[in-house]
Amino acid sequence: MLIESYFVSVSGPPLANNTAISKDAGIYEHTLHPSHSTSNTLKKSSVPRNCLAVSDTHVFAAQDDKSTIYVYSRAKGNQEALVTLPERIRSVALLDDVLILGTQEGRLIIWEVCTGRQVTTPASHVQAVSCIAATPFHLITGSDDSNIHVWSLPRLLELDSTIEHEPQDTLSNHRAAITSLAVGQSVNPDTNICISASRDKSCIIWNYQLGVALRTLLFPSAPLCLSLDPCARAFYVSSEDGSLYAVELFAEKALLGPQSGEESSTAVQVSSAFGAAPQEAGPASCLGVNYDGTILISGHPRGHVLRWDLSSRADSTELANLNASVTNVEFVPLLTPARSTKSAMVVKPFLGSRSYDFTSQLGSDLVSDTRFGKMLNSNGIPKDVLEQAILAFQEPAGDNIGDQEVRKENEELWEIINQQRALQKKTLDRYVEAKSANA
């Protein structure tokens, strides 16, 4: 049975004296399916918004108003390393073995956790990098300065230290701080979309590779966070007044594509919310959508973790009360792509260029199992071997190498015989002509 789980982080002191909740617990791992439960807790961590990242083996958590990253081992459930960086961290994103950090001064720090290599960009943002979205080829960074930068990830990871790290493009349609970013995972440049939320009470859908704003959406109050459907069919927004909005991209009145009846420059007013956070919980500060897009998880500043059924749009159900401000909801991928290696440990980052080691565990044998090995290790005759044998009997018999050599020799001998017969016939004809001439 597949188990779906997600991580939730909290920030700040406990809201009340509740002995049922551990005071030093900062990150919780919850199981959503088949039944909701708390499977693990990671202690002594206070994680701000957009500062939690989860891999198959580790959890990376930036600390509130600090320049440190706590690295936790998921298998052991304890803190494995503490990494100190030169600037305070405001946002975190993870892509495979690369951790991307946004700083208070507007820089990006790229850290290869499997080797320790670190790349730092200039301060391209005027203010702090508030949120980061990542794809295998691009990084998208939003800032309190209202700008969004698009970066080429392969260029940032170049080994040549002389390359200048500059944004590939800048998206500057917003007029206030960027609060949240979400990006689709399509590799087609025509369908790659990114959605940004800003305190100017708007969300913009971008084709970030082309630098084009596809649609502007206006909300009654400032959006605090958003989450994109796994198939990029819709996205969900939480606003300052506690409302939750569901924006369908390809509904009856499509916002994108050829079915859209309006120009992309036309702003759309979004006014009808599908739900509202309870007053005692406060507006949702973080959102997460499960793998099939049917359940929305929201975290609230008064410790509530709520579940919303997106298929029925029914009222919320409380999953947990963590007695502290909930800042991040991070779903663990249900099915991860197969990888030939897995990092055995996290290497702390270092500055400068030098040789570095890569230590990993092999995911499989170096030599694949042979056909004979499969037959030897199986009970009886394998089914595929029997099928191949039956098909071989049904096919017409082919000439082996010996038969081909004999046939070639026969053809050469027949050619010699035919030449001798032709010569004999020609000689006999001349003899007949000479005898008739003498007569």
Side-chain angles (χ1 to χ4, degrees):
M1 178 183 293
L2 293 176
I3 298 176
E4 188 175 14
S5 60
Y6 64 95
F7 281 81
V8 174
S9 68
V10 298
S11 177
L15 299 176
N17 293 325
N18 189 345
T19 57
I21 300 176
S22 177
K23 293 183 178 180
D24 58 353
I27 302 173
Y28 300 81
E29 182 180 3
H30 293 290
T31 300
L32 183 62
H33 287 138
S35 62
H36 191 272
S37 62
T38 302
S39 54
N40 196 9
T41 57
L42 306 176
K43 299 182 178 181
K44 297 180 180 179
S45 191
S46 179
V47 188
R49 289 186 60 235
N50 300 322
C51 286
L52 181 69
V54 180
S55 72
D56 294 341
T57 55
H58 292 85
V59 176
F60 302 89
Q63 299 305 296
D64 201 1
D65 293 328
K66 294 181 181 179
S67 59
T68 55
I69 300 288
Y70 288 177
V71 182
Y72 295 92
S73 170
R74 290 185 58 184
K76 299 178 181 178
N78 60 357
Q79 184 177 323
E80 185 176 289
L82 186 151
V83 178
T84 302
L85 297 162
E87 299 177 13
R88 285 190 298 171
I89 305 302
R90 280 288 306 276
S91 54
V92 172
L94 180 68
L95 187 65
D96 293 333
D97 291 326
V98 178
L99 189 70
I100 304 103
L101 309 171
T103 71
Q104 181 69 31
E105 285 71 23
R107 305 177 193 274
L108 280 182
I109 298 176
I110 316 297
W111 169 25
E112 283 187 349
V113 297
C114 57
T115 63
R117 188 166 76 95
Q118 177 182 325
V119 178
T120 304
T121 68
S124 299
H125 286 288
V126 179
Q127 293 178 288
V129 180
S130 57
C131 46
I132 302 173
T135 73
F137 305 102
H138 293 89
L139 292 180
I140 305 168
T141 59
S143 171
D144 290 341
D145 63 8
S146 78
N147 288 327
I148 299 169
H149 288 336
V150 181
W151 306 76
S152 171
L153 184 59
R155 186 173 179 83
L156 289 174
L157 294 175
E158 280 280 359
L159 294 175
D160 188 356
S161 59
T162 61
I163 292 179
E164 296 183 359
H165 299 300
E166 297 293 337
Q168 182 177 300
D169 200 355
T170 299
L171 314 176
S172 56
N173 289 28
H174 284 294
R175 295 294 177 265
I178 309 299
T179 58
S180 187
L181 287 171
V183 63
Q185 297 301 314
S186 172
V187 297
N188 188 336
D190 295 327
T191 57
N192 258 347
I193 62 170
C194 170
I195 305 170
S196 59
S198 170
R199 289 194 175 275
D200 61 5
K201 299 183 180 180
S202 72
C203 287
I204 298 180
I205 306 171
W206 305 89
N207 185 322
Y208 63 89
Q209 289 200 33
L210 302 179
V212 177
L214 302 176
R215 183 69 68 184
T216 301
L217 305 171
L218 305 178
F219 293 84
S221 62
L224 298 177
C225 58
L226 62 86
S227 183
L228 184 64
D229 178 88
C231 296
R233 302 168 299 183
F235 67 95
Y236 306 93
V237 178
S238 168
S239 62
E240 278 187 336
D241 62 1
S243 300
L244 287 171
Y245 299 90
V247 181
E248 300 285 345
L249 300 180
F250 305 101
E252 184 178 352
K253 293 183 178 180
L255 296 176
L256 305 177
Q259 302 298 324
S260 175
E262 299 174 337
E263 297 291 335
S264 60
S265 59
T266 304
V268 176
Q269 183 72 43
V270 180
S271 55
S272 58
F274 78 88
Q279 188 174 1
E280 64 272 13
S285 55
C286 51
L287 298 174
V289 182
N290 73 328
Y291 79 102
D292 61 357
T294 59
I295 296 175
L296 178 71
I297 304 295
S298 61
H300 300 261
R302 295 174 188 171
H304 295 75
V305 178
L306 303 181
R307 165 180 170 155
W308 306 80
D309 190 343
L310 297 176
S311 58
S312 62
R313 302 290 173 89
D315 292 336
S316 62
T317 303
E318 182 175 313
L319 297 178
N321 190 335
L322 304 180
N323 197 32
S325 177
V326 181
T327 52
N328 294 278
V329 174
E330 188 78 19
F331 269 91
V332 178
L334 196 62
L335 299 174
T336 56
R339 302 177 61 183
S340 58
T341 62
K342 182 174 68 174
S343 299
M345 58 183 296
V346 171
V347 182
K348 291 186 177 182
F350 58 85
L351 289 172
S353 58
R354 71 177 192 189
S355 60
Y356 54 89
D357 298 327
F358 173 62
T359 304
S360 66
Q361 297 176 348
L362 297 176
S364 60
D365 294 334
L366 290 176
V367 180
S368 59
D369 197 6
T370 62
R371 184 167 178 262
F372 176 76
K374 292 179 181 179
M375 295 173 62
L376 187 64
N377 296 324
S378 63
N379 295 324
I381 301 177
K383 183 178 179 181
D384 57 340
V385 175
L386 286 173
E387 291 178 352
Q388 292 178 6
I390 294 172
L391 291 175
F393 280 119
Q394 293 176 350
E395 293 179 356
D399 295 334
N400 55 29
I401 297 177
D403 293 340
Q404 292 177 0
E405 292 180 353
V406 172
R407 175 177 290 184
K408 186 176 180 180
E409 291 179 358
N410 289 338
E411 290 177 353
E412 293 176 352
L413 289 174
W414 275 110
E415 185 178 357
I416 295 173
I417 292 172
N418 291 331
Q419 290 177 358
Q420 293 293 331
R421 286 179 176 177
L423 180 60
Q424 183 180 11
K425 184 176 181 299
K426 192 174 182 181
T427 305
L428 182 61
D429 291 341
R430 287 183 180 180
Y431 171 76
V432 172
E433 290 178 358
K435 187 176 180 179
S436 57
N438 293 330

